């Protein structure tokens, strides 16, 4: 297993630099590596290594969100607050609703099945968006109006709405009753609770690090492990069924508090986490590539699926534009935000197969196997189309549409 793991890392680095040489985002080289060694082509990854990559993927996502939190101060938050809240829900809800309608009329799915598909596809990918925004921030693009920070803050909460609404449709499909009040209250409450717990952890870490002087490397380990425990707590089924806590937002809140209360340490930790991200990025995007199975996409689904994705992205773009109407951004900056909200990968890889799995488990008898395979195929197609489209779009449009101070 160790030999297989080492070979994956070396091949990934090779593809990463090959893509950099042809002026393409390096993360696409990593996804391509996963695609080649995954079930789509060679199918070389053993189950133990795949399970290990899955766990490391979570840690990698946590690391990039910690980096994001360590770069957001109070002044920035005051600047982006209102637009970020609107970006966190309006685009995803509009896109999910449009895909629901399209899948009902074009694929003849039931309203409930269309809702599951719509809100699987509607979730933006923080794995693609956040590191791309951090690169632009580090380079100074959009600094004056904090455009990259606005996008990454909205993207970190977008998934909460999409996954929660997806869960509602899954509940309806498996025979559960719909409690509208619970849904309307639990989502904003979950966002508040996630941010509050994260802030509390941040204050605790500031107190601990000021009281006990230990090496920054050990502080990084402590910070990461506590963030992992917090994230895993938010993923427990009993907790998710009660309140869908915004774990990703909470992790960013930890970094925010450390920057506010102990800024010298925050800058040192940010530098350390930047080094950790070198390996974490490889593991995250290679795993995403291994979750893409091109064999799931039939010719019959391909054409309609592409049409649904195109119209869904168009609806999402309208949602982003509406979210930014009262912001201080100009037209170019709004166009950049639209492009930055295209990528999908993380959530689609995680829950795209859930409806099909529930069918096999006998929990969704009203759905056919073909429908479950269709939902999975379009989820896979959304990754293949939007992850490279969004990554290339962000890399190309950032320097052209954003300004430097």
């Amino acid at each position: 297993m160790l030999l297989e793991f080492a070979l994956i890392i070396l091949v990934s680095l090779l593809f990463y630099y090959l893509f950099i040489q042809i002026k393409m985002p390096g993360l696409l080289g990593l996804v391509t590596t996963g695609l080649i060694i995954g079930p789509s082509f060679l199918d070389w990854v053993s189950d133990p290594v795949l399970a290990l990559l899955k766990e490391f993927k979570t840690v990698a996502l946590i690391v990039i969100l910690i980096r994001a939190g360590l770069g957001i101060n109070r002044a920035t938050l005051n600047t982006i607050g209102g637009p970020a809240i609107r970006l966190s829900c309006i685009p995803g809800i509009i896109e999910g609703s449009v895909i629901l309608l399209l899948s009902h009329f074009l694929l003849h799915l039931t309203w409930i099945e269309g809702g599951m598909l719509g809100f699987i596809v509607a979730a933006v990918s923080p794995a693609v968006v956040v590191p791309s925004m951090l690169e632009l921030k580090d380079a100074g693009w959009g600094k004056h109006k904090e455009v990259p920070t606005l996008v990454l803050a909205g993207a970190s909460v977008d998934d909460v709405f999409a996954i929660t609404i997806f869960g509602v449709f899954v509940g309806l499909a498996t025979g559960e009753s719909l409690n509208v009040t619970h849904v309307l209250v639990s989502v904003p409450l979950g966002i508040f609770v996630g941010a509050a717990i994260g802030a509390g952890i941040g204050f605790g870490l500031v107190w601990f690090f000021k009281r006990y002087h230990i090496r920054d490397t050990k502080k990084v380990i402590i910070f990461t492990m506590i963030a992992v425990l917090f994230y895993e707590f938010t993923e427990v089924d009993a907790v998710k069924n009660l309140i869908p806590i915004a774990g990703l937002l909470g992790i960013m809140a930890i970094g925010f508090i450390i920057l506010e209360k102990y800024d010298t340490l925050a800058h040192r930790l940010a530098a350390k986490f930047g080094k950790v991200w070198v390996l974490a990025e490889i593991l995250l995007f290679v795993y995403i590539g291994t979750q893409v199975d091109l064999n799931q996409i039939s010719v019959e689904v391909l054409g309609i699926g592409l049409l649904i994705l195109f119209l869904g992205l168009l609806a999402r773009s309208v949602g982003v534009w509406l979210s930014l109407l009262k912001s201080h951004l100009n037209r170019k900056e709004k166009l950049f935000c639209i492009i930055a909200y295209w990528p999908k990968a993380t959530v689609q890889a995680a829950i795209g197969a859930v409806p099909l799995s529930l069918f096999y488990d006998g929990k969704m008898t009203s759905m056919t196997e073909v429908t479950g395979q269709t939902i999975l195929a379009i989820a896979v197609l959304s990754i293949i189309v939007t992850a490279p489209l969004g990554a290339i779009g962000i890399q190309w449009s950032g320097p052209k549409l954003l300004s430097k101070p």
Side-chain angles (χ1 to χ4, degrees), residues 22-35:
I22 61 174
K23 309 299 182 185
M24 298 283 280
L27 65 87
L28 295 184
L30 303 177
V31 174
T32 301
T33 303
L35 195 66

Side-chain angles (χ1 to χ4, degrees), residues 14-165:
L14 174 63
F15 273 88
Y16 182 91
Y17 288 109
L18 284 175
F19 272 67
I20 293 292
Q21 291 302 311
I22 61 174
K23 309 299 182 185
M24 298 283 280
L27 65 87
L28 295 184
L30 303 177
V31 174
T32 301
T33 303
L35 195 66
I36 292 171
I37 65 176
S40 295
F41 293 101
L42 302 178
D43 200 15
W44 279 355
V45 187
S46 62
D47 289 340
V49 171
L50 195 59
L52 194 61
L53 282 174
K54 183 178 180 181
E55 298 301 323
F56 277 131
K57 175 265 299 182
T58 301
V59 177
L61 190 58
I62 288 170
V63 167
I64 196 61
L65 288 163
I66 289 173
R67 288 186 63 202
L70 289 170
I72 302 176
N73 56 34
R74 187 185 299 273
T76 300
L77 198 60
N78 291 336
T79 301
I80 66 171
I85 292 172
R86 294 192 294 271
L87 279 176
S88 69
C89 57
I90 293 175
I93 291 174
I94 291 177
E95 182 184 16
S97 301
V98 168
I99 292 177
L100 185 160
L101 293 170
L102 291 170
S103 60
H104 177 72
F105 292 108
L106 297 180
L107 292 172
H108 307 294
L109 303 186
T110 66
W111 294 112
I112 293 175
E113 293 163 353
M116 287 190 290
L117 174 60
F119 288 96
I120 288 173
V121 175
V124 74
S125 174
V128 178
V129 173
V130 174
S132 300
M133 294 305 106
L134 289 178
E135 287 180 12
L136 291 172
K137 274 172 61 70
D138 293 340
W141 294 109
K143 175 64 178 175
H144 179 62
K145 297 180 183 177
E146 297 291 354
V147 180
T149 306
L150 167 64
V151 173
L152 69 85
S156 68
V157 184
D158 176 277
D159 291 356
V160 176
F161 284 91
I163 294 173
T164 301
I165 299 173

Side-chain angles (χ1 to χ4, degrees), residues 362-400:
K363 296 179 181 178
M364 203 174 286
T365 54
S366 61
M367 188 183 76
T368 66
E369 182 178 4
V370 173
T371 298
Q373 290 172 342
T374 300
I375 292 173
L376 175 58
I378 295 179
V380 170
L381 190 62
S382 71
I383 300 173
I384 298 169
V385 173
T386 65
L389 182 66
I392 295 169
I394 291 169
Q395 178 177 284
W396 174 84
S397 65
K400 293 184 181 297

Side-chain angles (χ1 to χ4, degrees), residues 203-281:
F203 280 114
L205 287 176
V206 168
W207 175 85
F208 180 80
F209 291 149
K210 283 185 175 180
R211 186 178 180 88
Y212 301 99
H213 298 284
I214 56 179
R215 292 179 58 184
D216 285 348
T217 303
K218 290 183 179 179
K219 290 174 183 173
V220 166
I221 294 172
I222 292 170
F223 192 167
T224 306
M225 293 304 104
I226 289 176
V228 168
L229 290 173
F230 169 56
Y231 180 78
E232 290 299 323
F233 168 74
T234 65
E235 292 296 298
V236 174
D237 288 339
V239 175
K240 289 167 69 175
N241 292 335
L242 181 63
I243 301 175
I245 298 175
L248 301 182
L249 180 65
I251 290 168
M252 289 178 61
I254 300 173
F256 170 79
I257 293 297
I258 293 177
L259 180 62
E260 282 293 303
K261 299 300 180 183
Y262 199 173
D263 60 337
T264 54
L265 174 63
H267 296 310
R268 297 202 308 268
L269 292 181
K272 291 282 187 181
F273 277 111
K275 296 174 182 178
V276 174
W277 174 244
V278 174
L279 176 61
E281 180 184 29

